[in-house]
């Protein structure tokens, strides 16, 4: 089996979402249960990503996966596309070790960086053709999201897609949290009471969703030429957005 090395980087500054990250590292098995049950609609967004990459790139391209986690869903989305080079960035070493396993034997080059995505993006030498970020930048404050989108725009030549928690129009964060509990507590029967408690704590203390209008506006302010919503998952909690360079 091909051994994919994980490159280590020393952080130069405090990480903006350190608390979210710490919680997340402890909760990977719980998150994995949600992914396995497709409770977050990874299959649907993976198919849209696959179809978009196939339609956009007739020639080999480089793909940037921001906060790649274990890369399991993206590995499926990339299969059969013209991807030549995959660059995954994540701060969780255990997740990257899983990513190395999930991408071993891939038909494209793989680079995995153990690094804060804000730092990785502001110091990226070569632009990628397409950038992707799923369920990760919503821990940043709104101005931090903007700065990250600006950095991604400067590092990407064709488009960025993000899949992120989304407030209903006019909904407050408290309203979102109440809706999250009302809808997901009875639906996520795959979680034990303790696991639900972990997720509830994480969402309550770390998640900063935006309305679809704000997600799109942030992309335009960051300099992307166009921004549009491609998909809202059936529960209405997660939106997929595409930004053209
Ligand atoms: C909910 S998971 C999403 C993983 C994957 N993108 C997916 O959709 O399944 C969030 C990921 O973001 C990573 N993460 C959070 N903050 C980060 C940061 N500042 N820099 C790099 N990765 C970060 C976590 O380690 C975790 O792997």
């Amino acid at each position: 089996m091909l051994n994919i090395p994980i490159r280590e980087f020393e952080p130069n500054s405090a990480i903006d979402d350190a608390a979210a990250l710490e919680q997340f590292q402890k909760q990977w098995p719980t998150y994995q249960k949600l992914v396995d049950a497709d409770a977050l609609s990874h299959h649907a967004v993976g198919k849209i990503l696959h179809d978009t990459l196939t339609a956009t790139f007739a020639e080999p391209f480089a793909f940037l996966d921001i906060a790649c986690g274990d890369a399991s869903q993206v590995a499926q989305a990339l299969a059969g596309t013209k991807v030549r080079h995959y660059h995954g960035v994540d701060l969780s070493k255990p997740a990257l070790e899983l990513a190395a396993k999930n991408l071993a034997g891939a038909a494209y080059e793989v680079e995995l960086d153990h690094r804060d995505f804000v730092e990785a993006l502001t110091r990226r030498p070569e632009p990628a053709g397409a950038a992707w970020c799923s369920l990760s930048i919503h821990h940043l404050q709104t101005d931090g999201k903007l700065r990250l989108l600006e950095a991604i725009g400067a590092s990407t030549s064709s488009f960025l897609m993000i899949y992120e928690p989304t407030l209903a129009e006019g909904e407050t964060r408290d309203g979102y949290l109440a809706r999250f509990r009302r809808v997901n507590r009875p639906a996520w029967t795959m979680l034990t009471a303790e696991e639900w408690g972990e997720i509830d704590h994480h969402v309550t203390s770390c998640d900063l969703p935006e309305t679809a209008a704000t997600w799109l506006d942030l992309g335009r302010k960051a300099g992307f030429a166009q921004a549009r919503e491609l998909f809202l998952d059936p529960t209405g909690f997660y939106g997929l957005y595409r930004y053209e360079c």
Side-chain angles (χ1 to χ4, degrees):
M1 184 190 289
L2 189 67
N3 190 15
I4 299 173
I6 298 171
R7 301 194 306 179
E8 293 290 342
F9 291 83
E10 285 299 318
N12 290 330
S13 55
I15 292 154
D16 282 355
D17 57 354
L21 182 74
E22 191 189 334
Q23 279 189 30
F24 191 80
Q25 288 180 336
K26 290 185 197 144
Q27 292 159 6
W28 185 269
T30 306
Y31 175 68
Q32 192 59 55
K33 275 192 174 184
L34 294 174
V35 174
D36 289 346
D38 202 25
L40 308 170
S41 296
H42 276 91
H43 283 162
V45 296
K47 176 158 183 2
I48 297 172
L49 175 62
H50 172 86
D51 292 350
T52 306
L53 292 171
T54 307
T56 308
F57 296 105
E59 299 297 326
F61 66 95
F63 183 84
L64 172 63
D65 192 359
I66 300 153
C68 59
D70 69 0
S72 57
Q73 304 296 314
V74 161
Q76 292 176 33
L78 290 176
T81 70
K82 297 267 186 197
V83 63
R84 155 185 73 72
H85 184 272
Y86 170 94
H87 182 194
V89 179
D90 203 287
L91 256 178
S92 164
K93 190 71 183 284
L96 286 169
E97 282 162 0
L98 291 172
K101 284 195 191 131
N102 288 329
L103 294 164
Y108 41 87
E109 290 166 45
V110 176
E111 222 177 285
L112 294 175
D113 290 352
H114 185 210
R115 193 170 196 193
D116 174 36
F117 50 53
V118 177
E119 285 198 4
L121 267 293
T122 43
R123 290 176 173 74
R124 200 160 193 279
E126 294 280 323
W132 168 252
C133 185
S134 164
L135 302 177
S136 300
I137 64 176
H138 58 278
H139 299 146
L140 301 175
Q141 301 289 333
T142 306
D143 63 338
K145 292 175 180 118
L146 175 60
R147 276 186 277 116
L148 186 65
L149 290 175
E150 285 169 348
I152 299 172
S155 307
T156 311
S157 60
S158 182
F159 69 84
L160 160 71
M161 280 164 66
I162 67 168
Y163 185 52
E164 291 292 339
T166 297
L167 298 171
E169 208 48 54
E171 186 178 51
T172 62
R173 184 170 180 274
D174 282 350
Y176 174 91
L177 294 174
R179 178 165 65 97
F180 186 86
R181 293 186 183 116
R182 192 175 63 248
V183 173
N184 289 331
R185 180 67 192 104
W188 289 358
T189 51
M190 71 297 279
L191 302 185
T192 64
E194 192 186 337
E195 289 165 342
W196 167 261
E198 289 171 11
I199 295 286
D200 186 86
H201 176 64
H202 176 92
V203 171
T204 307
S205 55
C206 301
D207 283 9
L208 301 170
E210 306 284 356
T211 61
T214 301
W215 281 120
L216 297 176
D217 195 41
L218 284 170
R220 292 187 197 102
K221 282 190 178 135
F224 287 95
Q226 281 180 41
R228 63 197 160 103
E229 182 177 352
L230 298 182
F231 171 82
L232 186 65
D233 93 296
T235 67
F237 285 102
Y238 307 101
L240 179 66
Y241 306 96
R242 174 174 173 161
Y243 306 93
E244 305 300 327
C245 296

